[in-house]
Amino acid sequence: MNATRFARLLALCALIGLAPLAVSTPSRASGGEEKPQDVQWSFDGPTGTYDRAALQRGYKIYREVCVSCHSMNLIYYRNLEALGYNEAQIKNIAGEYTYMDGPDDEGEMFERPGMPSDRFKAPFANAKQAAAANNGAIPPDLSLIAKARAGGPDYIFSLLTGYEEHAPHGHVLQNGQHWNRYMSGNVISMAPPLADGQVTYEDGTPQTLEQYARDISHFLMWAADPYMEQRKQTGLKVIIFLIVFAGIMYALKKKTWKDAH
Amino acid sequence: MTAHMHTEHDDDGETRRDFMAILAGAFGAIGAAIAAFPLLNSLSPARDTLALATIEVDLSDIPEGSSKTVMWRGKPVFIRHRTPEQIKAAESVNLQSLIDKQTDEERVKKPEWLVTVGVCTHLGCVPMGQKESDNHGDFGGWFCPCHGSHYDTSGRIRKGPAPKNLTVPPYAFLSDTKIKIG
Amino acid sequence: MASGNREPFNNTVVEWIDSRMPIFTLLNKEYGVFPVPRNFNYFWNFGAIAGFMLVVMIATGLFLAMHYSADTGLAFNSVERIMRDVNGGWLIRYIHMNGASFFFIAVYIHIFRGMYYGSYKKPRELLWILGALIFLLMMATAFLGYVLPWGQMSLWGATVITGFFTAIPFIGEDIQVWLLGGFAVSNPTLTRFFALHFLLPFVIFAVVFLHIWALHICGSNNPLGIEPKTRQDTLPFHPYYTIKDSFGLLVFVLVYCVFIFYMPDALGHPDNYIQANPMVTPPHIVPEWYFLPFYAILRAITFNMNLYFLLGLVMLLLLLVDFVWRKKPVYLSAAGGLALLVVGGLLVLTGFTGDSCQRIDAQWLEANVGFKNMCGTLQALPGMSAEAAPISAKLGGVLAMFGSVAMLFVLPWLDTHPVRSARYRPLYRVFFLLLVVVFLILGYVGSQPADASVAGVPLILVGLLGTGYYFAYFLVILPLLGRFEKAKPLPESIHDVVLAKQINAETKI
């Protein structure tokens, strides 16, 4: 009898725990956009991990394509260690960029090469400049984009592969606007950023739009959640500990309550 | 606490329950300690702080006889390109006359370059002497304006209340004109 | 105080302290041998669990505060620095972030348990009110805390909620400016919200202390809702309930950890990972899930309460007081009551329809001439315009929302039935479970855009009906049940029931 009661309670806890999930999932504004595709990722599931090669390819796409408009202000070059680069490689990558520093002893600003402790070099000096260079639409910072959009990497992948050359009949696009099946409201200011063969892969991975979209989404997920692997590994240990602890406590409870007559 | 438990039952059950109570208590104590660790560990220097804990300094822009001050771990570091006279003055000092007995050799990696933490070992002021026009003290090195400590061209304390020589930070030459501090 | 008749301890250190300050005697009295009904079910774990969550929130919050910068220019990045650079910072932040949700889960279950088993009834009214006060303080603390990461939802949630105060006639705008320290949610707002968010948990802690004090004066209620009579009805708190609470707590923490480690952002909103931007409003502002039912009540009032509506409402309230709350009507005869019901009802309907006419689609009105004529007539009445309404829709919503929380404070006097536990009140049980369902539905309504509809039913209507039931439950159903519900016979004692269950279980085997 106790067991069934306990099972009932567990079910109730689960229900209460999950109810907010169902409730809090925001229903998108009623535009014509589609739900993001369900993409399979190596980091899915409770034991999923990032794929180092995919991360490096994704970073290559960011460096060569996205960076012309999008900043990643929360990421430092030193963070690239997590992608599998060594110290010398990171130094080289950072050194390719020029940073304004100072003032020096004479009060002058000066330029110096980037260092691992620098944040990713942003394409624009400030938001106003970014807006002016992009017809008034500020390209969002990508550091947290995988967390800041419902659907995360699935959404990014879908968006990047969801462009239509022409708007469906009856829709008129302004100059500088594009039609995307997954963008909220379908109209997006970003031109299709990726195309087959645009970025050269050295590891023989197919150079297709779909592969590019997968890799950049993978990389952006890492950027938004760099401790995911550590989090899941710690979680496993904590949960095993708690299950054993709860088991001991349950046995102790049974034993103690047996003589509660 | 266990004194308040009921005792009217067989010994075997009692022992097993006591054992389980101890086991549960141990698990609780371990769990609490494990949970406390990340909280306390969050107070030690963060990654962005550690990323700045080593710096590289280019020496090529320091002419002989002049100095450069760089910030390292929140403190100024004095780098002096010493002249042959300064080196000679530093090397020829009688060790017995020093307050904190150190040879110049122990304090430099290359005689032309003296690298020290620019914090007076007395009460933590920043000594003067980095600029040509500064007061260099009685021994041609640095002078601390707070309480009048004089340092020589090797950064050693020669006169005044400071007990120790200026600290030499850990550093290494990456090339002839580049050092890494920290 | 208690040192006069205390029993000495064997341990010399304990005895040394206790003879000077009898803290161990006190602890033993309140948590060692303290008599507790022996028949608690697992729902009684949630008080201890809520207390545990408060400690977790204060501990993690303290360490987060050591890394956080309460400045609009720095706040968002300082939180991300915690997530990325501070050692184990992501863990501390996720514990805190999800901790708010799990604190509310524990407290909601705790509150519903108290309602199901009638734990608010005499002599536990003050205990209950202190609990309701804790709930109110928690809501304030949670709201303030949600602003601190300075994401889009932080900014716009704060804008919406402080906007409530503008509903106050005449001085509302000034009060809002005073609260914000500016003309919009900005740097002074963030700084004071941080200070208050740091302070309030300690106020909660103090009220929790009073809550437990009050509990230990009258003792716990139990699933049967009858008071323990003999020693056989109770067990010492230790070891029976220390161990049972520990077990329940561990199961709860297990679920909590699944969220922390495997879906840490599931209960949050993606928009809060976008830095606050006063120039861009998110398309759909939603509060945290634990506020959704109250948010739905706020949004349910979309009509202005004009003079007709209010006059009718006052009449109906009079009716409520005299015929429902009193055993025998004092002011009104039966005929008078009926007249008041008819007139009041008509006035409410007139006021409501007249006001709603202003929002009906013009094309639809053209097609339904009867309605058009009626609306014309109603709107021609003096004082029917929205501007003339003493309580605007906005103020009405705010009043309804605060009123819905206020219901908890007066609950002990609305439920007049002498029997506590729903186990012996078949009708009450049905109405209460319906309330829980309505509360969850209101939560869903609150999560959706205001103009959404499900299966053709506009959610605004669902919200209004749900709000209606919520208030009817407290103001009408409970007083009526108190007078007319016939309870099942109560058992003689707790011990009898426990014994019968044990024998039943043994014969089954």
Side-chain angles (χ1 to χ4, degrees), chain C residues 301-425:
Chain C
I301 310 299
T302 48
F303 54 91
N304 302 299
M305 299 183 189
N306 51 34
L307 279 170
Y308 301 90
F309 184 89
L310 287 175
L311 196 66
L313 201 66
V314 169
M315 287 180 181
L316 292 181
L317 274 176
L318 221 76
L319 209 64
L320 184 73
V321 171
D322 222 31
F323 280 89
V324 179
W325 293 6
R326 281 182 212 281
K327 284 216 172 69
K328 270 182 82 176
V330 175
Y331 302 118
L332 298 165
S333 62
L338 192 68
L340 209 59
L341 181 68
V342 171
V343 176
L346 276 175
L347 277 172
V348 164
L349 210 64
T350 308
F352 178 74
T353 320
D355 185 72
S356 301
C357 277
Q358 298 164 20
R359 283 181 304 279
I360 293 179
D361 186 44
Q363 273 184 331
W364 187 87
L365 273 185
E366 287 303 327
N368 296 273
V369 184
F371 274 96
K372 195 188 169 197
N373 292 340
M374 186 189 73
C375 274
T377 323
L378 284 174
Q379 285 188 289
L381 291 171
M384 191 57 91
S385 71
E387 295 76 40
I391 297 182
S392 64
K394 187 164 151 191
L395 182 58
V398 174
L399 288 177
M401 191 189 65
F402 282 110
S404 64
V405 182
M407 288 297 118
L408 290 178
F409 286 84
V410 288
L411 174 60
W413 293 276
L414 292 172
D415 183 0
T416 50
H417 202 281
V419 172
R420 291 198 188 105
S421 173
R423 278 194 193 173
Y424 302 101
R425 296 182 60 189

Side-chain angles (χ1 to χ4, degrees), chain C residues 148-459:
Chain C
L148 303 186
W150 203 241
Q152 276 288 66
M153 279 297 157
S154 300
L155 171 66
W156 293 100
T159 304
V160 170
I161 296 199
T162 54
F164 293 170
F165 292 91
T166 61
I168 303 169
F170 309 115
I171 52 168
E173 306 269 346
D174 293 330
I175 289 181
Q176 193 203 21
V177 168
W178 176 73
L179 283 172
L180 298 179
F183 304 101
V185 177
S186 51
N187 201 48
T189 322
L190 181 63
T191 314
R192 67 189 60 182
F193 277 19
F194 177 54
L196 290 172
H197 181 71
F198 203 108
L199 169 74
L200 283 185
F202 297 98
V203 178
I204 293 176
F205 202 89
V207 184
V208 167
F209 178 80
L210 297 178
H211 187 66
I212 294 172
W213 188 3
L215 171 72
H216 281 219
I217 298 300
C218 48
S220 294
N221 185 29
N222 63 77
L224 299 177
I226 56 175
E227 293 293 325
K229 294 188 184 87
T230 62
R231 257 188 102 88
Q232 283 186 310
D233 291 341
T234 64
L235 289 170
F237 188 78
H238 182 76
Y240 294 101
Y241 286 111
T242 44
I243 288 177
K244 193 174 178 181
D245 277 349
S246 301
F247 171 63
L249 176 66
L250 283 171
V251 175
F252 184 84
V253 170
L254 196 64
V255 180
Y256 178 25
C257 280
V258 169
F259 273 80
I260 292 171
F261 291 104
Y262 295 104
M263 34 206 220
D265 294 308
L267 298 172
H269 195 289
D271 277 8
N272 229 27
Y273 280 109
I274 304 170
Q275 188 163 6
N277 183 352
M279 310 297 284
V280 181
T281 312
H284 176 203
I285 301 173
V286 273
E288 289 279 79
W289 67 265
Y290 37 80
F291 291 137
L292 289 174
F294 298 101
Y295 189 57
I297 291 175
L298 171 86
R299 292 195 309 183
I301 310 299
T302 48
F303 54 91
N304 302 299
M305 299 183 189
N306 51 34
L307 279 170
Y308 301 90
F309 184 89
L310 287 175
L311 196 66
L313 201 66
V314 169
M315 287 180 181
L316 292 181
L317 274 176
L318 221 76
L319 209 64
L320 184 73
V321 171
D322 222 31
F323 280 89
V324 179
W325 293 6
R326 281 182 212 281
K327 284 216 172 69
K328 270 182 82 176
V330 175
Y331 302 118
L332 298 165
S333 62
L338 192 68
L340 209 59
L341 181 68
V342 171
V343 176
L346 276 175
L347 277 172
V348 164
L349 210 64
T350 308
F352 178 74
T353 320
D355 185 72
S356 301
C357 277
Q358 298 164 20
R359 283 181 304 279
I360 293 179
D361 186 44
Q363 273 184 331
W364 187 87
L365 273 185
E366 287 303 327
N368 296 273
V369 184
F371 274 96
K372 195 188 169 197
N373 292 340
M374 186 189 73
C375 274
T377 323
L378 284 174
Q379 285 188 289
L381 291 171
M384 191 57 91
S385 71
E387 295 76 40
I391 297 182
S392 64
K394 187 164 151 191
L395 182 58
V398 174
L399 288 177
M401 191 189 65
F402 282 110
S404 64
V405 182
M407 288 297 118
L408 290 178
F409 286 84
V410 288
L411 174 60
W413 293 276
L414 292 172
D415 183 0
T416 50
H417 202 281
V419 172
R420 291 198 188 105
S421 173
R423 278 194 193 173
Y424 302 101
R425 296 182 60 189
L427 278 175
Y428 170 78
R429 190 157 178 263
V430 171
F431 283 112
F432 172 73
L433 291 178
L434 188 59
L435 179 77
V436 176
V437 172
V438 165
F439 196 71
L440 292 176
I441 291 175
L442 281 174
Y444 175 75
V445 172
S447 76
Q448 298 302 309
D451 54 359
S453 57
V454 168
V457 183
L459 285 182

Side-chain angles (χ1 to χ4, degrees), chain B residues 1-2 4-6 17 38-50, chain C residues 28 33 59-60 63 66-67 81 84-88 91-92 236 238-240:
Chain B
M1 286 208 290
T2 43
H4 300 290
M5 280 190 180
H6 290 212
R17 196 175 73 190
L39 293 179
L40 298 175
N41 189 39
S42 74
L43 299 183
S44 48
R47 285 176 197 82
D48 56 340
T49 311
L50 292 177
Chain C
N28 187 37
V33 295
T60 51
F63 284 89
M66 294 181 192
H67 299 288
R81 181 177 170 272
R84 290 159 189 273
D85 282 339
V86 172
N87 299 297
L91 178 57
I92 302 174
H238 182 76
Y240 294 101

